[in-house]
Amino acid sequence: MTSLSTLCYIEKDGQYLMLHRTVKKNDVNKDKWIGVGGHFEVDESPEECVLREVKEETGLDVSGAQGGYLFTYKRENPGEGDNYFVDVYRFVMDVKEEDLHLQEEETDGHMFATLDQIKE
């Protein structure tokens, strides 16, 4: 089975918004720091998906932000049946703490990190 999803990085002052996935969430990203993302809903375009996921997970509206689509990557793993496409986006905007409203079912923390911090 092949799934479709989006991953979005929100940049502010050279740092990227990272969300900590709650340990209560039973998915592959449980207890990890990641960007904003999720799976497409039926009849949803990639752009609709990324706008919806960012709004749901952070409370932010990136529709007017600078940036957008970067690239798509494909993972094929026939042995595990874990095949997927991910559309990756980057938006640059001024994010204030009071603008963030994290989806508690998905995340239990956030931070802004530099690329070097993310690589660690």
Side-chain angles (χ1 to χ4, degrees), residues 42-69:
V42 176
D43 295 328
E44 188 174 46
S45 72
E47 294 79 15
E48 291 168 332
C49 179
V50 74
L51 293 175
R52 176 184 53 77
E53 286 290 348
V54 170
K55 187 70 168 174
E56 286 177 0
E57 292 187 14
T58 68
L60 299 173
D61 179 2
V62 295
S63 61
Q66 288 181 322
Y69 173 81

Side-chain angles (χ1 to χ4, degrees), residues 12-99:
K12 172 190 170 189
D13 300 329
Q15 296 186 326
Y16 296 86
L17 176 63
M18 302 300 291
L19 304 178
H20 186 259
R21 299 295 272 198
T22 179
V23 295
K24 297 180 278 186
K25 182 80 174 160
N26 190 19
D27 69 18
V28 297
N29 292 314
K30 174 172 76 170
D31 202 27
K32 294 180 181 174
W33 289 95
I34 63 169
V36 180
H39 296 283
F40 287 41
E41 292 183 356
V42 176
D43 295 328
E44 188 174 46
S45 72
E47 294 79 15
E48 291 168 332
C49 179
V50 74
L51 293 175
R52 176 184 53 77
E53 286 290 348
V54 170
K55 187 70 168 174
E56 286 177 0
E57 292 187 14
T58 68
L60 299 173
D61 179 2
V62 295
S63 61
Q66 288 181 322
Y69 173 81
L70 293 175
F71 62 91
T72 298
Y73 71 84
K74 176 183 178 183
R75 180 179 192 271
E76 288 185 89
N77 189 346
E80 293 179 22
D82 188 20
N83 306 315
Y84 54 84
F85 290 91
V86 179
D87 288 343
V88 180
Y89 292 78
R90 176 181 149 266
F91 294 103
V92 179
M93 60 188 295
D94 185 26
V95 178
K96 296 176 179 54
E97 286 295 321
E98 61 267 18
D99 295 335

